[in-house]
Amino acid sequence: MHLAPWLLNWFGKLPGDIRIESERGKVFIPITSMIIVSIVLTIIVNIFKR
């Protein structure tokens, strides 16, 4: 990722990703980003499986 940091700039910034920040700490739940990653990986695995 040192060679192409722009490759994952979108991760965690999509609508549906939950980010809660307070004085005590931070909570980050990338729901939409993980769904997209899962779909892409499923497609790639199915292409190579055939």
Side-chain angles (χ1 to χ4, degrees):
M1 294 316 308
H2 293 287
L3 299 176
W6 48 268
L7 194 60
L8 290 177
N9 274 346
W10 58 272
F11 189 83
K13 298 179 184 176
L14 297 174
D17 292 339
I18 299 170
R19 181 180 307 231
I20 301 171
E21 297 181 18
S22 69
E23 295 175 1
R24 295 182 143 183
K26 298 178 183 179
V27 176
F28 175 62
I29 306 169
I31 296 172
T32 307
S33 297
M34 291 309 296
I35 290 172
I36 290 175
V37 168
S38 175
I39 291 170
V40 169
L41 287 176
T42 301
I43 291 170
I44 291 172
V45 167
N46 282 328
I47 288 172
F48 286 114
K49 197 173 179 180
R50 292 181 183 183

